[in-house]
Amino acid sequence: MKIYLKRIQKEILPFILIGLLTKLLFLFQGDLLRWKWMKSYFRYADISLSLKLRSFQLFGEYIAPVTIAYCLIFLYLSAALHRLIIGRTGEGGSFFVNKIILPIEEFASLLSIATLGLLIGISLGSIVNGPEAAVSFLVFGLYPVFFLLLLAIGVGFVVVQNKTVCTGWMQGHLPGFICSRMDGLYLLALFFVTITFHNKIDEQIRMIGKWLLRQL
């Protein structure tokens, strides 16, 4: 999990600022639209005057539970098959790991971090609406943290850190190829859990998301 904590520290600040700016636009929407020239400019630039309507579009685009979930599904399946068929590779890794699995793993983690940053930023801006709204967005930030945790205990542990789920005793008494296959079975189990429940998770996230938008 240390890898993902370092990524959060490095990457999250710009997205917090974007989330905060988004909330400020909601706060000052009425003041902006009082200026006729601003209204005319928005119409000319084809910018929606209903920020609330645009927010639903942004929520579906940037708060991306489906994209992250399918990335997890692909990562678990591909990494599981890699360990089951090829086994554990050395420090350099294999071509498939370096060119396919790791880039998608990094993309999924950064997308989760971006989502977390946006929610934290909106939460900070929502303080003016009262503690309930601010805390609601902050609590909803647990969902990208949940995806990061799934990455960390699965592909992050087995592939990124190139470790094994075998205990110290197992590593001392079992051949390496057996431990690699146990890693594959572990990732395969995570794959089935994720693909079984991803639609239900997505439905809950979108339902909560629509409720949160009404708090803006």
Side-chain angles (χ1 to χ4, degrees):
M1 193 65 185
K2 290 182 180 179
I3 294 174
Y4 298 99
L5 290 176
K6 289 180 180 179
R7 287 182 185 175
I8 289 173
Q9 292 175 350
K10 182 180 178 181
E11 307 289 348
I12 199 170
L13 182 59
F15 300 103
I16 293 177
L17 295 177
I18 291 172
L20 182 58
L21 178 61
T22 301
K23 175 57 184 175
L24 291 177
L25 286 175
F26 277 103
L27 288 176
F28 295 105
Q29 177 184 2
D31 296 326
L32 289 173
L33 297 181
R34 285 175 189 165
W35 297 334
K36 292 183 179 179
W37 66 269
M38 184 67 75
K39 276 187 177 181
S40 300
Y41 171 73
F42 279 3
R43 290 193 182 96
Y44 178 78
D46 196 24
I47 298 174
S48 174
L49 296 178
S50 174
L51 293 180
K52 185 71 73 173
L53 176 62
R54 181 58 59 89
S55 67
F56 281 94
Q57 299 171 346
L58 292 175
F59 189 87
E61 184 175 351
Y62 293 111
I63 312 298
V66 176
T67 303
I68 300 173
Y70 277 107
C71 283
L72 281 174
I73 290 169
F74 173 81
L75 284 169
Y76 286 147
L77 180 60
S78 58
L81 293 176
H82 188 279
R83 280 294 171 102
L84 288 170
I85 297 172
I86 299 176
R88 189 179 182 187
T89 56
E91 289 293 327
S94 67
F95 176 86
F96 187 77
V97 167
N98 292 327
K99 299 300 182 181
I100 305 295
I101 295 179
L102 292 182
I104 295 178
E105 178 273 335
E106 185 174 4
F107 167 76
S109 69
L110 292 179
L111 187 57
S112 298
I113 292 169
T115 301
L116 177 61
L118 290 172
L119 290 169
I120 291 174
I122 294 174
S123 174
L124 292 174
S126 298
I127 293 175
V128 296
N129 298 110
E132 181 181 352
V135 171
S136 296
F137 278 97
L138 198 59
V139 170
F140 192 55
L142 292 175
Y143 117 73
V145 172
F146 169 71
F147 279 120
L148 283 171
L149 181 61
L150 285 177
L151 268 177
I153 65 173
V155 176
F157 180 78
V158 175
V159 180
V160 178
Q161 299 182 67
N162 199 26
K163 294 183 177 181
T164 177
V165 297
C166 288
T167 63
W169 182 89
M170 290 179 180
Q171 291 185 59
H173 293 79
L174 295 176
F177 78 91
I178 295 293
C179 288
S180 288
R181 274 60 192 178
M182 289 180 67
D183 295 336
L185 292 174
Y186 168 70
L187 291 169
L188 198 61
L190 289 176
F191 161 75
F192 281 113
V193 170
T194 307
I195 199 170
T196 300
F197 296 106
H198 78 280
N199 277 330
K200 294 180 181 179
I201 294 172
D202 176 50
E203 289 173 4
Q204 295 299 316
I205 287 173
R206 293 191 179 278
M207 182 181 70
I208 297 171
K210 290 179 180 179
W211 175 80
L212 284 174
L213 288 171
R214 292 196 289 271
Q215 309 298 314
L216 288 173

